[in-house]
Amino acid sequence: MSLLELKNVSKIYGELKALDNVSLHVDQGEWVAIMGPSGSGKSTMMNIIGCMDKPTTGEVLLDGVDISKESSKHLTDIRRDKIGLIFQQFHMVNYLTAVENVMVSQYYHSMPDENEALEALGRVGLRERAKHLPSQLSGGEQQRVCVARALINHPELILADEPTGNLDEANENIVLDLFAQLHKEGTTLIVVTHDPEVAEAAQRTIVLEHGRIAREVINENFGK
Amino acid sequence: MTKRKMFLRMVTSSLLRRRSRMLIALLSIAIGATILAGLVTIYVDVPRQMGAQFRSYGANMLLLPGEEGELNREKLNEALAEIPGDSLVGAAPYRYVRLDMTTRQQSFTAAATDFTQIVKTSPYFSVEGAYPSETRQVLVGKEIAETIGVHNGSTMELTYQPTVVSDGKTPEESRVAGATLSGKAEGFSGGMVYVTAVLDDAAKIASLTVDASTQTPEYGGQIPEAEAYLNQFIGKSLPLAGGDVDTFTGATVTSDAVVAALNQATAISSPAQPRTLNFTVTGILTTGGEEEGYIFMSLEDMELMTGTDHLDVAELSVSASAEQLEEYTAAITEKTGVRARLVKRVARSEAAVLEKLTALVFLVTLVVLLLTLICVSTTMMAVVSERRREIGLRKALGASDGSIRAEFLGEGLFLGLLGGILGAILGFIFAQVVSVNVFGSSITFQPLLVPAAVLVSMIIAAASCLLPIKRAVAIDPAIVLKGE
């Protein structure tokens, strides 16, 4: 069953075609990696999938809804309800503790629940670091808090932008293991990266070049 | 945990955990609230403060003898009862009498008063030496002191030469040694003839003047200059009998009128024993005004010399608004018959100064509020750009524009609350310091000022946030994705 579908999507900034007639299909529960050099259109694609930008032309169907025509207010609602975001720079609210950062996501989504938030932190192995401020956490720990924050509202799609870009190998592995777990639980994952190792962890890799899909690689070793 | 609790947790954490920047905003609000609370406190207290201040410029109410009845100490106390005790700063009674200085054959105006009150009603009096504290002591005006060459510790003899006005006396009672008599009688064709006679030590006529201007100029009208005729009266006793004096030739009717007038004449003054007291000078008074030409003594001494407790005027210093002063004067005039009036010059300038001061305080408050608004707004603007990523993140996590607005407004209101409380406390201290240093008196705490200061601070803080919030709402959530 298809969760996300891009149909002939283009995004044009003046002369520049950031995305040029891209079509993509992601099934429910699939784990997809998007690779490509800088300027290949990864970020633009991510913005569009993440409901933070709209394509110039083409259709984007998320869970059956065409998000390319929605108002930005509606896009906010859709993003909040369906998407969990993970960023390269971690992006935590620096004056809130780890558990409070997770609760911020609950706050905007529905109702803050400290126990549930602590449980989510437990899942990423940070139960005992819940009361720490971001400045007291290592980069890897911060990113794990962000993973907990992304999954707290049980989104249908987790969208990760270079999630391991600022992490050492040990933390990268922890994050990838968490992704694998989420995948097992049926969460759809789209991971933008230029780290081949991260891409190899996914079922399928889409390679973007100059705003187009250059090739698609199926990971035959997936799950082994 | 409820949404509201989480909201409060986020808002307060933002302020309490990110101290530096918010401290500046808090400080500017607190300073604004301090000035505001301080000025309002002073403003509320100013009429009282300035009232006391104005009182140092002298009396603002006068009490004078009414149409009927005179002013004396009893009447004065009756009148003062109409003014609330805490409003009455002082009331100095005055009685002015000409006294002779026996040793120099000169006379001066003596002012009898209450020295304990003068200090309050005329604080600008400058005394070299001391105010008299006992009877038989005088304060001498500088001008007199220079003229007669007295200094502190000098003694001076002052004599009261009484002029007893004798009204209601019959002609018989009036004919005593030293008396001055006057009388009138109808002369030729209805015109009146007036006479004035002074009696000698034996109560015989010592001198006589006649006013016969209503009589025929060639006949009776000649009498006032007719020495031979007038001289026959000198040495005669009153009343005159038929053949005592000859008639003036050609003016029998007028001559008869002169005799009749003399026989009916009553005293306009009769002599009394002069009274002399010996005084010690305790101080020389400098005022720059007419007071320098007076000798000041106690009311008791004056009463002893003159035998009456009559007062000419009382100068009052009353601390009250223009309306209240009007009320007091009306009440005194109506109830006691003492004529009360305001010294308009003083009352008006008080009102004018108060009005200007009020306008000034208002203006300064307005400017301070405006500056606070600008300062907080600028700080919040900086805060928004500093927190662009966080705002972007919140939006990416699904915060609506409304949530972003509510969070920043919440922070602003929280800042306003803290700043307002801080400002109300500091403002009172500020007002106290200003009051003590400028007005020399402490002020009363206005409890209502705390909620007022907090409310105004919160409004200012909220208003300051409007533009920064607009900025915050416009931030694109996509900024968090660009891996910069």
Side-chain angles (χ1 to χ4, degrees):
Chain A
M1 200 195 125
S2 151
L3 178 72
L4 177 73
E5 188 151 17
L6 276 69
K7 290 182 186 166
N8 308 317
V9 169
S10 293
K11 181 71 185 180
I12 300 162
Y13 298 104
E15 296 285 293
L16 177 77
K17 284 189 174 175
L19 281 182
D20 188 1
N21 203 24
V22 171
S23 293
L24 174 70
H25 181 99
V26 178
D27 273 337
Q28 187 100 48
E30 220 183 336
W31 183 355
V32 178
I34 297 172
M35 283 192 79
S38 293
S40 61
K42 289 188 314 242
S43 287
T44 308
M45 191 177 216
M46 174 109 190
N47 283 351
I48 290 170
I49 297 170
C51 299
M52 288 182 274
D53 205 350
K54 284 188 266 192
T56 313
T57 58
E59 257 181 36
V60 182
L61 293 171
L62 178 63
D63 209 10
V65 179
D66 183 3
I67 59 173
S68 62
K69 305 286 185 290
E70 291 289 347
S71 69
S72 58
K73 187 188 172 318
H74 246 127
L75 285 179
T76 302
D77 294 341
I78 293 166
R79 178 170 65 242
R80 183 175 58 213
D81 292 340
K82 299 198 185 290
I83 302 171
L85 289 165
I86 298 169
F87 319 101
Q88 178 179 6
Q89 307 283 357
F90 322 141
H91 292 309
M92 290 175 73
V93 179
N94 56 15
Y95 54 84
L96 294 180
T97 61
V99 67
E100 284 167 348
N101 264 281
V102 176
M103 285 159 73
V104 167
S105 191
Q106 291 178 311
Y107 171 76
Y108 291 125
H109 181 265
S110 48
M111 202 50 91
D113 182 336
E114 195 160 5
N115 290 330
E116 211 176 293
L118 286 171
E119 211 175 287
L121 282 177
R123 226 183 130 179
V124 298
L126 290 174
R127 183 71 171 75
E128 70 287 352
R129 311 280 280 166
K131 300 287 181 198
H132 288 66
L133 288 170
S135 54
Q136 297 163 315
L137 298 172
S138 72
E141 287 171 328
Q142 287 189 48
Q143 191 61 304
R144 278 145 70 191
V145 173
C146 291
V147 173
R149 182 176 65 193
L151 59 83
I152 189 75
N153 295 322
H154 310 290
E156 299 194 41
L157 171 66
I158 285 189
L159 194 57
D161 179 23
E162 298 278 8
T164 60
N166 286 347
L167 299 183
D168 58 23
E169 204 173 324
N171 277 304
E172 180 177 312
N173 287 334
I174 293 174
V175 169
L176 288 179
D177 284 348
L178 283 168
F179 284 180
Q181 264 182 46
L182 288 171
H183 171 71
K184 263 187 206 148
E185 288 161 17
T187 307
T188 311
L189 287 156
I190 297 178
V191 182
V192 176
T193 185
H194 48 246
D195 181 345
E197 246 180 85
V198 175
E200 269 166 34
Q203 288 171 297
R204 179 156 71 107
T205 304
I206 310 288
V207 182
L208 282 176
E209 267 167 30
H210 307 298
R212 292 165 183 267
I213 295 179
R215 59 185 182 278
E216 201 178 323
V217 183
I218 307 290
N219 179 8
E220 295 182 351
N221 296 323
F222 184 79
K224 290 179 187 168
Chain B
M1 179 176 287
T2 62
K3 278 192 97 133
R4 187 186 303 164
K5 251 181 165 171
M6 183 67 194
F7 174 77
L8 289 176
R9 195 150 152 188
M10 290 195 302
V11 165
T12 51
S13 301
S14 167
L15 295 180
L16 301 178
R17 294 197 189 135
R18 324 168 44 252
R19 289 190 200 111
S20 60
R21 181 68 76 177
M22 290 324 234
L23 216 60
I24 293 171
L26 180 66
L27 215 63
S28 47
I29 291 181
I31 289 171
T34 299
I35 305 281
L36 176 77
L39 285 180
V40 170
T41 305
I42 292 170
Y43 175 80
V44 169
D45 237 40
V46 143
R48 195 172 69 76
Q49 300 277 13
M50 291 307 287
Q53 205 67 25
F54 284 134
R55 297 285 48 82
S56 63
Y57 302 136
N60 57 351
M61 194 190 284
L62 295 179
L63 297 184
L64 299 161
E67 304 235 331
E68 64 233 48
E70 56 161 15
L71 183 64
N72 54 27
R73 286 211 236 177
E74 196 186 324
K75 272 288 188 200
L76 175 63
N77 287 334
E78 227 176 278
L80 293 184
E82 297 296 327
I83 300 170
D86 53 350
S87 301
L88 185 66
V89 177
Y94 285 98
R95 178 178 183 189
Y96 300 100
V97 173
R98 280 307 268 191
L99 292 182
D100 297 330
M101 192 171 169
T102 358
T103 52
R104 291 182 61 96
Q105 312 239 305
Q106 253 181 308
S107 65
F108 301 100
T109 301
T113 187
D114 182 344
F115 291 106
T116 59
Q117 296 296 314
I118 273 199
V119 183
K120 295 173 191 162
T121 57
S122 306
Y124 52 89
F125 276 18
S126 158
V127 173
E128 187 192 316
Y131 278 107
S133 54
E134 294 169 27
T135 53
R136 306 301 145 75
Q137 291 182 334
V138 285
L139 181 67
V140 180
K142 192 170 167 233
E143 202 183 300
I144 293 183
E146 280 169 2
T147 312
I148 62 176
V150 291
H151 47 84
N152 290 340
S154 300
T155 55
M156 60 196 316
E157 212 176 69
L158 293 172
T159 302
Y160 174 66
Q161 189 66 59
T163 308
V164 178
V165 177
S166 20
D167 34 24
K169 281 189 180 164
T170 64
E172 287 74 25
E173 289 167 345
S174 302
R175 292 165 196 147
V176 294
T180 304
L181 308 178
S182 95
K184 59 178 182 180
E186 199 175 310
F188 188 69
S189 69
M192 293 307 268
V193 175
Y194 300 88
V195 297
T196 307
V198 178
L199 303 186
D200 62 15
D201 291 344
K204 295 186 191 309
I205 296 171
S207 68
L208 172 67
T209 52
V210 177
D211 177 357
S213 51
T214 61
Q215 304 297 297
T216 320
E218 297 81 31
Y219 305 105
Q222 300 287 324
I223 284 180
E225 276 84 47
E227 268 184 52
Y229 169 77
L230 294 176
N231 279 339
Q232 2 168 33
F233 290 91
I234 307 299
K236 298 260 168 27
S237 301
L238 290 172
L240 296 165
D244 280 357
V245 290
D246 299 329
T247 56
F248 189 68
T249 316
T252 313
V253 180
T254 308
S255 297
D256 289 348
V258 170
V259 172
L262 271 172
N263 284 346
Q264 299 162 29
T266 52
I268 52 171
S269 80
S270 52
Q273 199 58 41
R275 269 162 268 183
T276 303
L277 291 177
N278 205 18
F279 293 92
T280 307
V281 178
T282 63
I284 309 295
L285 174 69
T286 311
T287 65
E290 57 176 5
E291 296 90 348
E292 292 187 1
Y294 297 154
I295 295 171
F296 291 81
M297 62 171 65
S298 69
L299 287 168
E300 288 78 8
D301 286 338
M302 186 63 91
E303 265 182 56
L304 196 63
M305 290 174 93
T306 62
T308 62
D309 69 347
H310 167 81
L311 295 174
D312 290 312
V313 64
E315 290 185 356
L316 271 58
S317 186
V318 184
S319 184
S321 69
E323 293 78 28
Q324 285 172 314
L325 286 174
E326 293 285 356
E327 276 172 35
Y328 298 154
T329 54
I332 290 169
T333 306
E334 193 183 318
K335 290 187 190 165
T336 64
V338 172
R339 197 149 50 91
R341 62 185 185 80
L342 296 176
V343 181
K344 289 281 193 233
R345 182 170 45 87
V346 176
R348 278 214 198 104
S349 49
E350 276 191 38
V353 170
L354 270 184
E355 201 173 293
K356 279 178 190 154
L357 202 73
T358 307
L360 185 72
V361 168
F362 180 73
L363 204 71
V364 171
T365 308
L366 208 68
V367 169
V368 167
L369 288 185
L370 205 68
L371 283 178
T372 308
L373 189 81
I374 293 169
C375 186
V376 177
S377 194
T378 311
T379 310
M380 287 307 274
M381 210 66 138
V383 165
V384 166
S385 34
E386 221 177 52
R387 293 167 68 182
R388 280 186 74 218
R389 286 192 170 280
E390 183 204 322
I391 295 160
L393 169 70
R394 285 177 183 277
K395 292 185 95 173
L397 291 178
S400 64
D401 291 355
S403 312
I404 299 289
R405 270 191 208 106
E407 280 154 34
F408 271 87
L409 205 61
E411 287 187 19
L413 290 174
F414 186 61
L415 266 182
L417 179 75
L418 289 182
I421 293 170
L422 211 62
I425 296 165
L426 291 176
F428 177 67
I429 296 169
F430 166 73
Q432 190 73 267
V433 168
V434 167
S435 188
V436 167
N437 286 310
V438 177
F439 298 110
S441 70
S442 68
I443 49 165
T444 41
F445 182 67
Q446 313 282 337
L448 211 71
L449 205 63
V450 177
V454 169
L455 191 73
V456 172
S457 303
M458 286 175 85
I459 291 171
I460 290 286
S464 306
C465 288
L466 293 183
L467 210 62
I469 285 174
K470 218 172 151 190
R471 278 277 177 87
V473 165
I475 288 172
D476 182 0
I479 57 162
V480 291
L481 290 179
K482 291 165 192 156
E484 297 144 7

